[in-house]
Amino acid sequence: MKRWIPFLKKDPVVAVVRLQGAIGASGRAVLSDRSVAPLLAKAFRKGKYAAVALEINSPGGSPVQSSLIGARIRRLSEETNIPVFAFVEDVAASGGYWIASAADEIWADRSSVLGSIGVISSSFGAHVFLQRQGIERRVYTAGTSKSMLDPFKPEKEEDIARLRRMLDQLHDNFIGHVKERRAEKLADDPSLFSGEIWAGQGAIDVGLADGIGHLSPVMKERFGKKVKFRRFAARKPLMPRLGAQMASDVLTEMDERAAFARFGL
């Protein structure tokens, strides 16, 4: 009856957006700015929700997509004046933490893993194998820097130096974002931006999280016991496409599992 009487106060509603998985620009099983944009647009509806709660469980991934998602969250929050709370489940590491730090407050479980504020680039080298098999690698380019770190050719010092410069630039961007968002909350700890990870209370001690707590009890404490929740999550198709898309999904799933495995998950 209350919903039909306009002068009666309505119970507050918190929009809950689930952000689960690795972060990347392609593949249906990963988080990307494009995939989460519709969810965030629905969650940040001015005058409709008291807050937006992010359920985060991500080992990271693309620096650009992490930045785009984080920037979108901040932009919508400021435009609608809706506060954002991040609730970390198993892990919010690397790009996952970038997104979490876009929230006004970060909450975690005692066993949640947070941090890994660093940048990684991994590859392989197979030039010795090719030589043993009598296979010659032929590469032709226009531009001296076009072919860099070819896994089928020996490494070059200038290529390694170029990659390190790029990684350092990305790392500086990450550090700048965390410092801007967490500001005085961060501890004066030399390992904070080394790629180190912390669990639960350890993350709070260094300023990467604000407290130990789960979504429902924290939101009830903040907005009252009658607070309601409206959940938003990406929908997966009932039947996956066959052929190349299915193969791509399998590879994406393998990559995601490998990313989670880095944190013992």
Side-chain angles (χ1 to χ4, degrees):
M1 174 64 71
K2 185 168 63 173
R3 71 167 66 181
W4 303 109
I5 304 177
F7 54 81
L8 287 182
K9 186 177 180 180
K10 297 180 180 179
D11 296 331
V13 181
V14 172
V16 182
V17 180
R18 182 161 188 81
L19 302 175
Q20 162 83 33
I23 304 165
S26 62
R28 291 182 296 171
V30 297
L31 294 172
S32 69
D33 181 55
R34 182 177 180 180
S35 68
V36 304
L39 305 179
L40 294 175
K42 294 177 182 177
F44 285 96
R45 295 181 62 181
K46 191 172 185 179
K48 189 173 181 66
Y49 302 112
V52 171
L54 306 174
E55 290 180 326
I56 298 178
N57 196 12
S58 174
S62 165
V64 173
Q65 294 300 314
S66 302
S67 176
L68 290 173
I69 295 171
R72 183 179 294 276
I73 291 169
R74 290 311 316 151
R75 184 168 61 251
L76 290 171
S77 175
E78 292 167 5
E79 289 175 354
T80 59
N81 198 30
I82 296 177
V84 185
F85 301 83
F87 292 90
V88 180
E89 295 185 348
D90 297 277
V91 59
S94 195
Y97 185 76
W98 185 306
I99 295 175
S101 60
D104 299 301
E105 295 181 18
I106 300 176
W107 294 80
D109 183 82
R110 294 186 184 279
S111 299
S112 298
V113 176
L114 295 87
S116 189
I117 302 173
V119 184
I120 185 173
S121 175
S122 59
S123 183
F124 61 89
H127 63 283
V128 175
F129 172 78
L130 293 183
Q131 291 174 355
R132 290 175 178 175
Q133 301 303 314
I135 301 173
E136 181 184 4
R137 171 72 164 164
R138 297 174 179 175
V139 179
Y140 306 95
T141 67
T144 57
S145 300
K146 188 61 177 177
S147 177
M148 185 178 78
L149 295 174
D150 188 324
F152 300 105
K153 300 188 74 174
E155 284 186 311
K156 298 179 181 179
E157 291 297 329
E158 56 267 31
D159 287 349
I160 297 174
R162 190 181 299 117
L163 176 63
R164 289 191 182 279
R165 286 197 300 270
M166 184 180 69
L167 294 179
D168 287 342
Q169 291 172 2
L170 296 176
H171 194 198
D172 288 342
N173 293 340
F174 198 170
I175 293 172
H177 170 72
V178 174
K179 285 185 174 180
E180 179 183 358
R181 293 300 307 150
R182 302 296 296 173
E184 70 281 356
K185 295 179 180 180
L186 297 175
D188 185 14
D189 190 324
S191 65
L192 196 57
F193 303 117
S194 67
E196 182 63 86
I197 57 175
W198 288 266
Q201 186 61 47
I204 298 173
D205 294 339
V206 296
L208 296 182
D210 296 290
I212 299 295
H214 300 159
L215 192 152
S216 181
V218 171
M219 291 293 91
K220 286 182 178 180
E221 181 178 351
R222 190 64 57 90
F223 297 102
K225 294 183 179 180
K226 293 184 178 181
V227 65
K228 298 179 180 179
F229 301 98
R230 173 72 186 278
R231 295 185 172 273
F232 300 94
R235 294 181 179 179
K236 292 186 177 181
L238 295 177
M239 295 187 66
R241 297 177 184 175
L242 300 177
Q245 183 61 59
M246 181 177 290
S248 175
D249 290 348
V250 171
L251 292 175
T252 300
E253 178 70 17
M254 292 174 62
D255 287 342
E256 184 174 292
R257 290 186 180 225
F260 275 106
R262 289 170 45 218
F263 305 99
L265 303 170

